[in-house]
Amino acid sequence: MKFFFKKSLDISEETKKLSSYIKQCKQIIDQNDYSSPESSLCLPSDVHILSQIDAMVAKKKTAKLKYVITIGIGGSNLGAKAIYDALYGSVDMFTPDRYPKMIFLDTIDPKINTAFLTFFKSHVKSADEFAISIISKSGTNTEPVVNAEVLLGYIKNRFSKWKQRCVITTDANSPMWNEGARLGIDVLNIPKQVGGRYSVFSAVGLFPLAMANIDIRSLLQGAKKMRDICVNESPQNYSFTSSVFQYQNWKKGRSIHNNFYFQPEFESLGKWYRQLMGESIGKEKKGITPIVSIGSVDHHSMVQLYWGGSQDKTTEIIYAKKSQDCFVPQEALFPTLSNTKGKNTSEIVSAIRKGTALAYKKQMEPFFEIEFDEINTYEMGGYMQCKMLEIMYLAKLLGVNAFDQPQV
Amino acid sequence: MKFFFKKSLDISEETKKLSSYIKQCKQIIDQNDYSSPESSLCLPSDVHILSQIDAMVAKKKTAKLKYVITIGIGGSNLGAKAIYDALYGSVDMFTPDRYPKMIFLDTIDPKINTAFLTFFKSHVKSADEFAISIISKSGTNTEPVVNAEVLLGYIKNRFSKWKQRCVITTDANSPMWNEGARLGIDVLNIPKQVGGRYSVFSAVGLFPLAMANIDIRSLLQGAKKMRDICVNESPQNYSFTSSVFQYQNWKKGRSIHNNFYFQPEFESLGKWYRQLMGESIGKEKKGITPIVSIGSVDHHSMVQLYWGGSQDKTTEIIYAKKSQDCFVPQEALFPTLSNTKGKNTSEIVSAIRKGTALAYKKQMEPFFEIEFDEINTYEMGGYMQCKMLEIMYLAKLLGVNAFDQPQV
């Protein structure tokens, strides 16, 4: 993963401001200290949690597994969905025979609930074909309870082994934890101090992802590598640099941060970031509004506003360098319309992206770039960890609590 | 469709400002005048265009049709996708046997292109099973040309009748129009003055939607009904009222407009609105940034920011009153966790939505509400027409040209 910042960014003042906090974060990691709100930083190297996940996955994974159904909303599903969609979800419609598939039930929607239940009834033949991960940090949210009641209300009447196919992930001793224990459903816990939006590397993200055959070790390795870089005062501390970038521009009145992803597969990753930024720093009448754009879709939708409208935005261009190959045929059907014949379509999108960065540069619109080597779990882990630290640093600079959510 | 505005909105000043423009819009409709940039207003009652669409659909529709593939980006696909996703697309994964399905290829993405092509190769048995709508207003955009080259490059080698399965929609005599004529592919045109973001009621939206069995007459009727209400100086002119709401709040520094949809099926409708607002008024360093939120997903993601962060937003709550029924079982699995047993899930979401409106009211955050009777083509047509007029009025109030896009 590479980061491209404008060389002239002066970080000296913010370095002074954050120096002791960076040290504190490093200490939390070194001491594996789960008593602080920053304790999500311990997760990438937590072998104890990983072995709990391994054991639960070993118990639940079956050869016939087709559907990993995740019931959860907000911090309970956005992280796993971000990773799954980047890897597989964006083409699930076109890969109907690839399994296991993850299915996410978040809000309550009669049409979606009904369609899903009808689908489930006709497409699932045995209890081995599905696993259900019910996630709620507080263990009290209405949406997962209702979605679980609707789905399990059917399943319990059809499959005698239904309880074995479920796992509840929640805070230890939460109301849902207690219900799970009463019913005899397996339960995983979330470390108390790890808030939903920082919980992707806990059981919240790891269990359903591992059930769906996604390489969670590589995800954690990417996160750990990035974390260890980003809790130091060094020019490679990208979390720090991007927090300074955001903070300095916010002080100049730029109150919208545009995450401009150049692979549509990353859209759910953008939605994960929206929560992370929105809930962490949107308080005390402060805050930056995160938005998600997709290149090149939004060249034909939003770029007019971004380049010609109010100068109230910062931009982050995110893309994967390597992708798979797909070539335009050598023999053009519309020969007068373009000179793309024989080209790899990745190159065409790259050219559009480079043109976009150049336009931001020419217009002196503040932006920076993040380049994934390719879309894989290692890079996703690194990006997500970098962003979680970025938001912790940014909250400190803004003087708000990154971990509460007083309004909801 | 019902609109709920705060009663105290004082519209007298803006009424004076817009009075002659409202008359002008009415005149354009009465004279069926396609020479003005507002000429999209003529589309809902254009029987000539409708009969062209009917003839083309009659020529192309087959009993075996499974896939209506739309190749287009921005104004060329956002409108049809908004309608399709609200009706069917959001549950396409769960209704694999419902046809015809619409498939939208917008940006160029090697992974999506490859996955789609592999899917197409194995799932399409005969030329009667697909129709391809290639849409580009200018007839020169890179994305549709590349996507068409990749797909048609395969199809032309496999299906001798491939040209009969395609329709190109573009400006008369554009480069793509000429290529279509040369190749012998059927062509539909877009009235010259109708820009992409205002083109949903032209062949751009109507042809692919009608191919997918969507009731375009009802869509146009809904649009016509709303249009005729909204080109008058009357309290029922919702386009006018919402433009005034936006304008007055923009003057007070509220530069973000949050479209808060309470049915996830409406997400693509929000993306359609993003382009409409973004490209139409984001210029001359003015503009309002449209964002899309989904209830209740974003209660667990963005509401903390909306309620506790910067006071820089206006909010529009959009929902459908009637939906289908889906009941929580009478026998609760988690009896201590909620009192939802036996309830229709629509009621539960309604309660969350009402709570949201109440919270905006209590916090004196500016908002208004739009209630669809249900999610159907008639209501969608009305909403989209209302919004197109809203943006024309808003541009006038802001003193920008609603129809150009100088930056792209």
Side-chain angles (χ1 to χ4, degrees):
Chain A
M1 189 173 291
K2 286 202 187 96
F3 294 75
F4 302 98
F5 289 100
K6 211 169 138 188
K7 286 200 181 68
S8 59
L9 193 71
D10 177 0
I11 58 170
S12 50
E13 195 189 317
E14 290 83 5
T15 305
K16 267 180 254 168
K17 265 194 180 175
L18 282 187
S19 180
S20 71
Y21 186 59
I22 294 174
K23 282 194 187 74
Q24 191 188 326
C25 288
K26 193 165 185 335
Q27 212 168 28
I28 288 165
I29 295 164
D30 291 342
Q31 300 177 350
N32 198 34
D33 167 17
Y34 275 96
S35 69
S36 72
E38 289 83 1
S39 60
S40 68
L41 293 171
C42 304
L43 294 169
S45 49
D46 193 315
V47 291
H48 177 65
I49 289 179
L50 187 60
S51 72
Q52 281 181 328
I53 304 290
D54 284 344
M56 190 63 83
V57 171
K59 198 170 164 186
K60 303 289 177 183
K61 189 124 63 161
T62 62
K64 286 188 184 170
L65 192 64
K66 289 171 78 178
Y67 303 107
V68 178
I69 300 151
T70 296
I71 297 178
I73 194 164
S76 297
N77 84 337
L78 289 170
K81 193 170 193 315
I83 295 162
Y84 180 75
D85 283 355
L87 297 172
Y88 303 112
S90 63
V91 293
D92 258 349
M93 273 289 293
F94 302 141
T95 54
D97 303 324
R98 193 206 60 79
Y99 295 110
K101 289 199 187 304
M102 293 184 84
I103 289 169
F104 297 90
L105 300 178
D106 47 23
T107 188
I108 302 161
D109 184 273
K111 183 173 173 175
I112 293 172
N113 281 74
T114 305
F116 171 65
L117 204 55
T118 307
F119 173 82
F120 187 91
K121 287 176 186 178
S122 64
H123 283 74
V124 172
K125 307 294 175 205
S126 81
D128 289 352
E129 291 178 11
F130 66 88
I132 301 174
S133 171
I134 303 167
I135 308 171
S136 170
K137 171 134 181 86
S138 67
T140 58
N141 289 340
T142 304
E143 292 90 339
V145 170
V146 168
N147 281 325
E149 294 279 8
V150 170
L151 179 58
L152 298 180
Y154 166 73
I155 287 174
K156 70 181 181 183
N157 292 326
R158 180 165 158 204
F159 301 100
S160 57
K161 287 187 191 172
W162 69 278
K163 285 181 190 174
Q164 285 98 307
R165 304 311 302 146
C166 297
V167 174
I168 288 172
T169 300
T170 182
D171 274 352
N173 306 315
S174 79
M176 195 179 270
W177 176 281
N178 295 332
E179 287 281 16
R182 185 182 60 78
L183 289 162
I185 293 175
D186 283 317
V187 181
L188 288 168
N189 83 316
I190 309 164
K192 191 75 185 168
Q193 291 282 353
V194 174
R197 59 190 179 272
Y198 297 96
S199 70
V200 62
F201 302 133
S202 75
V204 169
L206 297 182
F207 172 69
L209 289 168
M211 287 296 288
N213 287 350
I214 288 168
D215 185 351
I216 59 170
R217 281 181 163 69
S218 157
L219 180 78
L220 294 172
Q221 277 159 14
K224 182 179 178 304
K225 177 82 188 291
M226 183 62 73
R227 179 196 72 179
D228 295 345
I229 291 169
C230 290
V231 289
N232 287 293
E233 283 179 44
S234 98
Q236 272 70 51
N237 187 338
Y238 307 114
S239 300
F240 173 71
T241 313
S242 55
S243 72
V244 173
F245 169 89
Q246 303 244 25
Y247 176 62
Q248 291 183 351
N249 280 294
W250 173 79
K251 284 201 293 185
K252 291 176 194 157
R254 293 189 178 261
S255 56
I256 297 173
H257 182 62
N258 184 17
N259 295 278
F260 208 150
Y261 296 95
F262 273 76
Q263 263 90 12
E265 297 98 299
F266 281 143
E267 184 167 3
S268 296
L269 187 60
K271 290 181 179 176
W272 170 83
Y273 183 82
R274 271 171 91 233
Q275 185 202 20
L276 179 66
M277 172 176 257
E279 283 193 346
S280 300
I281 66 165
K283 50 199 73 162
E284 298 179 29
K285 298 192 178 169
K286 296 176 187 172
I288 298 171
T289 299
I291 61 174
V292 178
S293 304
I294 302 298
S296 66
V297 171
D298 286 320
H299 289 76
H300 303 271
S301 172
M302 296 297 284
V303 154
Q304 166 60 40
L305 170 72
Y306 298 160
W307 295 349
S310 305
Q311 295 178 308
D312 54 4
K313 295 175 188 70
T314 54
T315 302
E316 186 168 336
I317 295 176
I318 305 121
Y319 61 96
K321 192 180 171 187
K322 271 189 256 169
S323 182
Q324 66 189 104
D325 290 327
C326 172
F327 292 92
V328 181
Q330 276 292 349
E331 191 193 336
L333 196 71
F334 304 122
T336 63
L337 290 188
S338 77
N339 53 0
T340 56
K341 64 179 184 181
K343 281 195 184 159
N344 193 333
T345 55
S346 291
E347 289 169 32
I348 302 168
V349 175
S350 268
I352 296 173
R353 178 188 37 83
K354 284 175 190 163
T356 306
L358 199 65
Y360 275 105
K361 199 170 174 181
K362 274 191 185 160
Q363 294 172 58
M364 313 275 282
E365 282 283 313
F367 79 103
F368 69 95
E369 295 179 78
I370 298 183
E371 180 185 87
F372 282 50
D373 191 39
E374 58 181 19
I375 301 184
N376 61 32
T377 46
Y378 184 84
E379 296 283 271
M380 298 280 294
Y383 173 86
M384 294 171 104
Q385 183 58 75
C386 176
K387 291 288 146 186
M388 286 189 272
L389 268 164
E390 168 201 288
I391 291 294
M392 292 180 203
Y393 297 151
L394 181 56
K396 276 282 167 203
L397 291 170
L398 288 165
V400 296
N401 180 346
F403 305 101
D404 65 351
Q405 53 225 56
Q407 251 72 25
V408 287
Chain B
M1 188 172 292
K2 286 201 187 96
F3 294 76
F4 303 98
F5 290 99
K6 209 169 138 189
K7 284 200 181 69
S8 59
L9 193 70
D10 177 0
I11 59 170
S12 50
E13 196 190 316
E14 290 82 5
T15 304
K16 268 182 253 167
K17 265 195 181 174
L18 282 186
S19 180
S20 71
Y21 186 60
I22 294 173
K23 283 195 186 74
Q24 192 188 325
C25 288
K26 191 164 184 334
Q27 211 167 29
I28 287 164
I29 295 164
D30 291 342
Q31 299 177 351
N32 199 34
D33 167 16
Y34 275 95
S35 70
S36 72
E38 289 84 1
S39 60
S40 68
L41 293 171
C42 303
L43 294 169
S45 48
D46 194 315
V47 292
H48 178 65
I49 289 178
L50 187 59
S51 72
Q52 281 181 330
I53 304 290
D54 284 344
M56 190 64 84
V57 171
K59 199 170 164 185
K60 304 289 177 183
K61 189 128 51 158
T62 62
K64 285 188 183 169
L65 192 63
K66 289 171 77 179
Y67 303 107
V68 178
I69 301 152
T70 295
I71 297 178
I73 194 163
S76 297
N77 85 336
L78 290 170
K81 192 168 192 317
I83 295 162
Y84 180 74
D85 283 355
L87 297 172
Y88 303 111
S90 63
V91 293
D92 258 347
M93 273 288 294
F94 301 141
T95 53
D97 303 323
R98 194 207 59 81
Y99 294 110
K101 289 198 187 304
M102 292 185 85
I103 289 169
F104 296 91
L105 300 178
D106 47 23
T107 188
I108 302 160
D109 183 272
K111 183 172 173 177
I112 294 172
N113 281 73
T114 305
F116 171 65
L117 204 55
T118 306
F119 173 82
F120 187 90
K121 286 176 186 177
S122 65
H123 283 74
V124 172
K125 307 294 175 204
S126 81
D128 288 352
E129 292 179 11
F130 67 89
I132 301 174
S133 171
I134 304 166
I135 308 171
S136 171
K137 169 128 183 93
S138 66
T140 59
N141 290 340
T142 304
E143 291 90 340
V145 170
V146 168
N147 281 325
E149 294 279 7
V150 170
L151 179 58
L152 298 180
Y154 165 73
I155 287 174
K156 70 180 182 184
N157 293 325
R158 182 165 157 205
F159 301 100
S160 57
K161 285 186 192 173
W162 69 277
K163 286 181 189 173
Q164 285 98 306
R165 304 310 303 145
C166 298
V167 175
I168 289 172
T169 300
T170 182
D171 274 352
N173 306 313
S174 79
M176 195 179 269
W177 176 281
N178 296 331
E179 288 281 16
R182 185 182 59 78
L183 289 163
I185 293 175
D186 282 318
V187 182
L188 287 168
N189 83 315
I190 308 164
K192 191 75 185 168
Q193 291 282 353
V194 174
R197 60 191 178 271
Y198 297 96
S199 70
V200 62
F201 303 133
S202 74
V204 169
L206 299 182
F207 173 69
L209 288 169
M211 287 296 287
N213 286 349
I214 288 167
D215 185 349
I216 59 170
R217 279 179 165 69
S218 157
L219 181 77
L220 294 172
Q221 277 160 13
K224 183 179 177 305
K225 177 82 188 291
M226 184 61 75
R227 179 196 71 179
D228 296 345
I229 290 169
C230 290
V231 289
N232 287 294
E233 283 179 44
S234 98
Q236 273 71 51
N237 187 337
Y238 307 114
S239 301
F240 173 72
T241 313
S242 55
S243 73
V244 172
F245 170 88
Q246 304 244 24
Y247 175 64
Q248 290 182 351
N249 281 294
W250 173 79
K251 283 201 294 185
K252 292 177 194 156
R254 292 190 180 260
S255 56
I256 298 174
H257 182 62
N258 184 18
N259 294 279
F260 209 149
Y261 295 95
F262 273 75
Q263 263 90 11
E265 298 97 298
F266 280 143
E267 184 167 4
S268 295
L269 187 61
K271 290 182 178 174
W272 171 83
Y273 183 82
R274 270 172 90 234
Q275 184 202 22
L276 179 67
M277 172 176 256
E279 283 193 347
S280 299
I281 66 164
K283 49 199 74 163
E284 299 179 29
K285 299 192 178 169
K286 295 176 188 173
I288 298 171
T289 299
I291 62 174
V292 178
S293 303
I294 302 297
S296 66
V297 172
D298 286 319
H299 288 76
H300 302 271
S301 172
M302 296 296 283
V303 153
Q304 167 59 41
L305 170 72
Y306 298 159
W307 295 349
S310 305
Q311 295 177 307
D312 53 5
K313 295 176 187 71
T314 54
T315 301
E316 186 169 337
I317 294 175
I318 305 122
Y319 60 96
K321 192 179 171 187
K322 272 189 257 169
S323 183
Q324 66 190 104
D325 290 328
C326 173
F327 292 92
V328 180
Q330 276 293 350
E331 192 194 335
L333 197 71
F334 304 123
T336 64
L337 291 187
S338 76
N339 53 0
T340 57
K341 64 180 183 180
K343 280 195 186 162
N344 193 333
T345 56
S346 292
E347 287 169 34
I348 303 168
V349 175
S350 268
I352 297 173
R353 177 186 42 80
K354 284 175 190 163
T356 306
L358 198 65
Y360 275 105
K361 200 171 174 181
K362 273 191 186 161
Q363 294 173 58
M364 313 275 281
E365 283 283 314
F367 79 103
F368 68 95
E369 294 179 78
I370 298 183
E371 180 185 88
F372 282 49
D373 190 39
E374 60 181 18
I375 301 183
N376 61 31
T377 46
Y378 184 84
E379 297 282 273
M380 298 281 292
Y383 173 86
M384 293 171 105
Q385 182 60 75
C386 175
K387 290 288 148 187
M388 287 189 271
L389 267 164
E390 168 200 289
I391 291 295
M392 293 179 204
Y393 296 151
L394 181 57
K396 276 283 167 201
L397 292 170
L398 288 165
V400 297
N401 180 346
F403 305 101
D404 65 351
Q405 52 226 57
Q407 251 72 25
V408 288

